[in-house]
Amino acid sequence: MSTTGGTADPSPGSRAGSRKEDPLAALGSLPGVAESVESVRKAVDRVYGHRIMRRRSNEITSEAALRGARGSAALSGADWALEEVRRRTDFSGDGEARAMGAALRLTAEAGQLLSIWRQSPLRVLARLHLVAAAGEADAVGRPRLDGEQADEPLIELPLPGAAEVSGRLEGLSELILAGSSAPALVMAAVVHGEILALRPFTSHNGLVARAAERVVLVGSGLDPKSVCPAEVGHAELGRAAYRKALDGYVSGTPQGMAAWIAHCGRAVELGARESTAVCEALQRGAA
């Protein structure tokens, strides 16, 4: 991504290995981004400052995981009621059931991959796809090859070729490994947006992208207990807004990138609000 001109290269890591500056840092100074970062910080602080978190944080984490999985699956076409997700034990049936099962598995797996993410982000992405696509026959746990298509009905953007996918994933990995002074929200938004734009796997790209966003938010220390499920917010904002915001990311313009980061920030805020409501319910003895 260019940080010097009026537009941004939509592949943020494409030149990371050839220069020492921090290409993500400039995103933090885009109009409205600092305000989004501050708003997210306040929302997260409200959850972590709740008295229930001092005594029952594990319950809040578990509930956030369930609600986050439900939200991510809803964006992938399995818009089930929360109680239906709680009730079901078999997720091997139709496409919706498999999507929900994949979302639940990914949410459980994401927290186990934090140390690996810091060493090999591409290994983590491959693992996330392997977990999501458990039981599927081919092309599991690896980027798609020339001639292979990506099954992600929510995203209607042109599909990058295999060579572009490989190069941009490598660039993204280099950015992550190099570290950045950019706020965690910015890094999480870029990781999420890049995976959605590339759709590097033959299936479950949206679920993997949102799980990777969770890994960044937790691993960065912004949400170390994973109680602010951005997936809830993405689902609440809706599929149309999600697609529109992603169009902004893919455009590579400063305005588009800022809009995507703000969208991701609002999703985290809504996830934090969801967990605050769970805390309140627990405090009242209603949940």
Side-chain angles (χ1 to χ4, degrees):
M1 134 184 58
S2 169
T3 59
T4 57
T7 60
D9 180 340
S11 59
S14 60
R15 292 183 295 277
S18 63
R19 57 185 188 177
K20 295 181 180 180
E21 65 261 30
D22 182 352
L24 295 184
L27 296 179
S29 63
L30 291 176
V33 170
E35 290 81 356
S36 292
V37 169
E38 179 64 12
S39 187
V40 165
R41 186 191 63 78
K42 289 179 178 178
V44 173
D45 284 350
R46 278 194 292 273
V47 180
Y48 279 83
H50 199 286
R51 61 187 300 180
I52 288 294
M53 283 291 293
R54 293 196 293 271
R55 296 182 288 112
R56 303 174 71 174
S57 64
N58 288 342
E59 292 177 64
I60 305 303
T61 295
S62 296
E63 188 66 19
L66 184 70
R67 294 178 185 227
R70 194 216 71 83
S72 191
L75 286 170
S76 289
D79 194 359
W80 292 9
L82 187 61
E83 291 311 312
E84 176 68 6
V85 183
R86 293 189 203 280
R87 182 186 68 81
R88 289 283 287 268
T89 57
D90 181 11
F91 298 97
S92 61
D94 59 16
E96 288 192 10
R98 291 195 300 273
M100 184 62 69
L104 289 165
R105 291 192 299 273
L106 282 173
T107 302
E109 185 74 10
Q112 310 303 313
L113 299 173
L114 299 177
S115 61
I116 303 173
W117 178 262
R118 299 183 186 103
Q119 301 169 16
S120 180
L122 298 187
R123 281 181 58 201
V124 170
L125 294 180
R127 174 63 184 172
L128 290 173
H129 186 250
L130 183 67
V131 169
E136 297 181 10
D138 300 320
V140 173
R142 63 157 175 81
R144 53 188 170 79
L145 306 176
D146 283 329
E148 292 180 331
Q149 296 300 304
D151 181 15
E152 185 53 53
L154 177 60
I155 307 302
E156 300 174 349
L157 296 164
L159 191 65
E164 181 179 352
V165 168
S166 177
R168 286 172 61 172
L169 282 179
E170 188 62 37
L172 181 65
S173 176
E174 290 173 3
L175 273 182
I176 295 165
L177 293 174
S180 174
S181 63
L185 173 63
V186 171
M187 177 66 83
V190 167
V191 167
H192 184 171
E194 191 71 355
I195 296 169
L196 274 184
L198 292 176
R199 284 146 292 160
F201 304 107
T202 57
S203 62
H204 303 301
N205 289 286
L207 293 175
V208 169
R210 292 183 288 275
E213 180 184 49
R214 174 183 285 266
V215 169
V216 175
L217 293 171
V218 174
S220 68
L222 177 64
D223 180 22
K225 294 183 182 293
S226 195
V227 296
C228 302
E231 304 96 325
V232 167
H234 287 301
E236 184 172 337
L237 291 168
R239 293 159 67 97
Y242 192 61
R243 283 193 293 260
K244 181 179 179 181
L246 180 63
D247 287 344
Y249 175 85
V250 172
S251 76
T253 65
Q255 296 84 355
M257 295 293 292
W260 170 249
I261 294 167
H263 182 88
C264 291
R266 182 59 180 152
V268 177
E269 290 181 60
L270 291 170
R273 186 181 71 178
E274 184 90 353
S275 286
T276 300
V278 172
C279 288
E280 292 294 329
L282 287 172
Q283 185 166 280
R284 294 192 303 269

